[in-house]
Amino acid sequence: DKFQSTLVLKALRPDKVTNAMQTLVSQVLGQRFIEPQTTDLANVFKDSSTTSPLVFVLSTGTDPAGSLYAFADTMKFSKKLNSISLGQGQGPRAEALMRYAMEKGGWVFFQNCHLAPSWMPTLERLAETIDPDVVHKDFRLWLTSMPSPSFPVYILQNSSKMTVEPPKGIKANLLRSYLGFSDKFLKQCTGKIRMFKHLLLSICFFHAIVLERRKFGALGFNIPYEFTDGDLKICVDQLNMFLLEYNDVPFKVTQYS
């Protein structure tokens, strides 16, 4: 049977066991058990509170900022969301933003906490001193961090944690890319909607292929480079801009690397 075949494969080709296990699980339990699930921020937000931060645990090549900005816009909180990328010298500004949000009822989004290990004790102290009877009921603390020993244990124990991993497979990557596009966005390129959709698919397909090729390292490329979600967004925005500025489709302009 399939399980016995996987055992034989383990002895002969251990590098193929992961693929064999995925096939086995999909046949026995179902395809949905091997497809990565997207994080529903709305459901996570319902379980949060003023004293319970929301933590994105990052992996290489992922950036949840776009999803959070879109969710804040949906919740009518885009103007009350203050974001800062932590690093050297950003501690005092981050503390001021957090105290202001606690008083006025905003969201604070501290990105890359692993890059500011010296400020983590201060962040832990601020989180410990949040009084639910005093702080504004709309206050929320959003954090992103790679796995790091310097990340505050108190926050880990009292937070809602979400892992952000890049999807596996061309199909999963394409689906994740298109989840970020609304019908309004797809129809905003007046007069060239059909061409915009075709070129958008090309960019998203290329993005998915580059992400999948990371498992091979720099093989086939001059330098290793990660085509991140931020890069994809910039390319899509540029495509939309070029199509709106030119009467004809500027293929020479869009074909650039």
Side-chain angles (χ1 to χ4, degrees):
D1 57 23
K2 265 292 178 190
F3 180 70
Q4 292 170 331
S5 299
T6 304
L7 294 179
V8 175
L9 195 64
K10 174 72 168 66
L12 300 176
R13 289 293 301 273
D15 57 309
K16 297 293 183 182
V17 171
T18 301
N19 295 334
M21 288 300 299
Q22 289 181 336
T23 303
L24 176 65
V25 170
S26 65
Q27 290 180 348
V28 176
L29 299 177
Q31 180 71 17
R32 67 189 183 94
F33 284 95
I34 66 169
E35 293 180 349
Q37 305 298 309
T38 56
T39 301
D40 189 346
L41 290 181
N43 289 334
V44 177
F45 182 76
K46 288 178 183 177
D47 298 330
S48 69
S49 67
T50 55
T51 57
S52 176
L54 300 103
V55 181
F56 294 100
V57 183
L58 304 176
S59 59
T60 305
T62 59
D63 183 12
S67 300
L68 178 56
Y69 293 143
F71 177 65
D73 191 48
T74 303
M75 298 291 290
K76 310 298 183 186
F77 256 82
S78 55
K79 293 183 179 179
K80 293 184 178 181
L81 172 62
N82 290 302
S83 172
I84 184 172
S85 184
L86 294 179
Q88 188 174 4
Q90 295 296 327
R93 181 166 172 253
E95 183 174 351
L97 281 176
M98 185 170 172
R99 293 190 183 278
Y100 179 81
M102 290 166 62
E103 179 183 348
K104 300 296 183 180
W107 293 359
V108 284
F109 181 35
F110 295 156
Q111 302 184 64
N112 303 320
C113 292
H114 58 285
L115 298 181
S118 61
W119 191 70
M120 288 300 98
T122 303
L123 177 62
E124 184 173 27
R125 175 176 52 79
L126 288 171
E128 288 176 340
T129 56
I130 296 176
D131 187 344
D133 297 326
V134 176
V135 71
H136 196 287
K137 63 181 179 63
D138 290 334
F139 168 74
R140 290 296 186 276
L141 174 61
W142 302 80
L143 306 169
T144 71
S145 178
M146 297 283 281
S148 170
S150 62
F151 195 84
V153 176
Y154 174 83
I155 294 179
L156 278 178
Q157 293 173 341
N158 295 277
S159 64
S160 298
K161 292 167 284 293
M162 299 156 280
T163 56
V164 185
E165 298 179 354
K168 294 179 173 63
I170 300 293
K171 176 184 174 183
N173 274 295
L174 280 172
L175 283 174
R176 189 184 68 161
S177 296
Y178 271 84
L179 282 174
F181 304 139
S182 63
D183 289 338
K184 180 181 178 181
F185 173 79
L186 294 174
K187 295 176 181 177
Q188 67 179 348
C189 198
T190 310
K192 300 189 183 78
I193 295 176
R194 183 168 174 269
M195 183 56 67
F196 176 71
K197 288 182 177 180
H198 287 180
L199 294 174
L200 177 65
L201 175 61
S202 301
I203 292 177
C204 292
F205 193 73
F206 176 70
H207 176 250
I209 290 174
V210 172
L211 288 181
E212 277 300 290
R213 282 187 58 90
R214 285 184 310 179
K215 68 181 71 171
F216 304 109
L219 183 66
F221 291 102
N222 292 327
I223 57 171
Y225 178 75
E226 292 178 358
F227 190 15
T228 64
D229 293 341
D231 295 324
L232 174 63
K233 183 180 184 305
I234 291 171
C235 288
V236 172
D237 289 344
Q238 283 187 327
L239 172 64
N240 185 48
M241 180 184 69
F242 290 147
L243 290 180
L244 290 174
E245 286 185 355
Y246 291 84
N247 293 326
D248 298 322
V249 179
F251 286 109
K252 286 186 178 180
V253 178
T254 56
Q255 292 175 356
Y256 112 103
S257 60

